[in-house]
Amino acid sequence: MTESTIKLARQNKTGKKALNVPLMKKKGKRWLGSFLRLLLIICLSYLILAPILQNIVVAFTHPDDLGMATSVWVPQNVSTQNWHVASLMINYAQALPYTFLHTSIMVILQTVCTMLAGYSFARFKFRFRSVLFAFVVFTIIVPPQVFMMPQYLFFRSFDIFGIITAITGKPLNLLGSTASLYVMSAVGMGLKSGLYVYIFRQTFRGLPKELEEAAYIDGAGFLRTFTSIVLPAAQAGILTVVVLSFVWNWNDSYYTNLFDNNNVRHLMLAYGKAISSVDEALASISSKVPLTYSFLLKSPVYEAAIAKTASMLVFLPLVVLYLFIQRKFVQGVERSGITGM
């Protein structure tokens, strides 16, 4: 080999080594970043899932084994006694179908109302549209407790432009009735209605106007265009609102306590009253359970286990619902346009 060839070979080796050093540094930083992200995800997952897993373990643990070190993560003796006692304590057999029907009615009323409002803000041009939409956003920001007193007084003396008073001689008192909750859902003042109006507005704004214009040219009226063209194209936003409305109305205890606090058939009210005094709730159902059950009415550990099991029964239907619609729900959130104005 000539001397020039040897120099070129040495330069090439030196260049490769110089290039490998920054490449290895980049790979090292990439691996370190991936490791830190994985560690963060594991820590957050543990913080979120650990209480749920502990509640599941407690729910399936035999009452005699509660509090034992051997039954912290895996029950030593698996039993369904806690489930049976908790279901009797909150009257689950009657409260579950009633709450499902009650929540479904509210979801339908709320979805229809906010859908029409969202479509109006997205497509129609009218005076003070921006101001009215600012009020909608205002209802999202302001907590519902701010409107508690006006709403309470309104439903205590419910009237529509004085018509009810003119007919019956006095306004209606809708307190203690589910009708007040239905009225709020139907007129756009239900739980999180402002957010649903915003979601529908963003969804309808993302649809091409040419579809509606083509339908109008073909002779379709407003109602047919809305039901046959707009609604099928907005299925993602509708599903998002339906799921969110169902979950929030299912878990709602604020409005139900305010307007319908005597309705023991409502699952959240029954659950709240039961866990407020677990020993009394257990004493009230002691005659309904088999004598073979280990009843520790004065044990704080047992009362805490029954309260945890009752909470599992409350949100279990929501978990089952999500398992069936999780894919479509995630797609609906991505397509509903809630990430931009």
Side-chain angles (χ1 to χ4, degrees):
M1 297 178 64
T2 61
E3 186 176 349
S4 59
T5 306
I6 294 173
K7 288 182 179 181
L8 288 174
R10 289 177 179 176
Q11 290 176 358
N12 290 335
K13 289 181 180 180
T14 305
K16 288 181 179 179
K17 290 180 180 179
L19 290 174
N20 288 334
V21 171
L23 184 61
M24 292 177 64
K25 288 183 178 180
K26 289 182 180 180
K27 287 185 177 180
K29 291 181 180 179
R30 192 177 302 168
W31 280 102
L32 180 60
S34 301
F35 174 76
L36 293 177
R37 284 194 297 269
L38 179 61
L39 184 63
L40 179 62
I41 291 173
I42 292 174
C43 294
L44 292 177
S45 300
Y46 175 78
L47 292 175
I48 296 172
L49 297 177
I52 300 176
L53 295 177
Q54 288 180 348
N55 286 358
I56 295 174
V57 172
V58 168
F60 284 102
T61 301
H62 194 275
D64 295 335
D65 299 333
L66 292 172
M68 296 178 60
T70 55
S71 299
V72 175
W73 290 107
V74 179
Q76 186 174 1
N77 295 307
V78 178
S79 174
T80 58
Q81 289 188 18
N82 296 337
W83 291 95
H84 186 199
V85 174
S87 63
L88 292 175
M89 187 177 68
I90 60 177
N91 195 19
Y92 199 65
Q94 295 182 3
L96 179 64
Y98 173 82
T99 306
F100 185 84
L101 177 62
H102 169 71
T103 305
S104 299
I105 294 174
M106 294 179 65
V107 169
I108 294 173
L109 295 174
Q110 200 170 27
T111 303
V112 172
C113 176
T114 55
M115 181 193 306
L116 295 175
Y119 186 76
S120 300
F121 282 118
R123 286 290 187 258
F124 300 150
K125 293 183 180 181
F126 49 90
R127 295 182 64 183
F128 307 114
R129 183 179 67 169
S130 300
V131 176
L132 292 176
F133 187 71
F135 285 128
V136 172
V137 177
F138 178 77
T139 62
I140 302 175
I141 300 172
V142 177
Q145 289 79 4
V146 176
F147 309 105
M148 177 181 67
M149 186 57 66
Q151 290 174 339
Y152 185 87
L153 296 176
F154 175 75
F155 285 112
R156 190 182 66 176
S157 302
F158 179 76
D159 203 347
I160 303 175
F161 301 113
I163 297 176
I164 297 177
T165 303
I167 296 175
T168 62
K170 60 179 181 180
L172 295 177
N173 184 5
L174 296 183
L175 296 179
S177 172
T178 55
S180 56
L181 299 175
Y182 296 153
V183 170
M184 290 185 62
S185 299
V187 299
M189 283 303 297
L191 189 64
K192 307 292 184 181
S193 290
L195 176 61
Y196 306 147
V197 173
Y198 175 77
I199 292 176
F200 276 124
R201 173 180 176 269
Q202 296 302 104
T203 300
F204 292 132
R205 287 183 64 181
L207 299 179
K209 295 182 179 180
E210 290 77 11
L211 293 175
E212 300 166 57
E213 293 173 355
Y216 292 143
I217 292 174
D218 291 339
F222 169 77
L223 184 61
R224 185 176 179 182
T225 302
F226 184 74
T227 55
S228 301
I229 304 298
V230 178
L231 292 187
Q235 289 183 359
I238 295 174
L239 179 63
T240 303
V241 170
V242 167
V243 173
L244 293 178
S245 177
F246 189 91
V247 171
W248 277 324
N249 282 295
W250 180 278
N251 293 325
D252 174 51
S253 60
Y254 172 75
Y255 283 120
T256 50
N257 274 310
L258 184 62
F259 299 123
D260 197 16
N261 59 343
N262 295 322
N263 190 357
V264 294
R265 294 177 298 173
H266 195 282
L267 191 58
M268 284 301 299
L269 289 181
Y271 169 73
K273 292 179 180 180
I275 64 172
S276 62
S277 181
V278 181
D279 55 344
E280 294 182 4
L282 291 175
S284 64
I285 62 168
S286 58
S287 60
K288 301 179 182 180
V289 298
L291 297 177
T292 55
Y293 278 19
S294 301
F295 248 85
L296 309 175
L297 298 179
K298 299 300 180 181
S299 172
V301 177
Y302 182 73
E303 293 176 3
I306 295 301
K308 292 179 180 179
T309 307
S311 66
M312 296 286 295
L313 288 172
V314 171
F315 79 80
L316 185 60
L318 300 180
V319 176
V320 176
L321 175 66
Y322 181 74
L323 291 177
F324 281 100
I325 62 172
Q326 57 175 332
R327 181 178 299 178
K328 292 184 178 180
F329 175 68
V330 173
Q331 293 176 353
V333 172
E334 293 177 350
R335 300 173 184 175
S336 58
I338 61 177
T339 57
M341 290 294 292

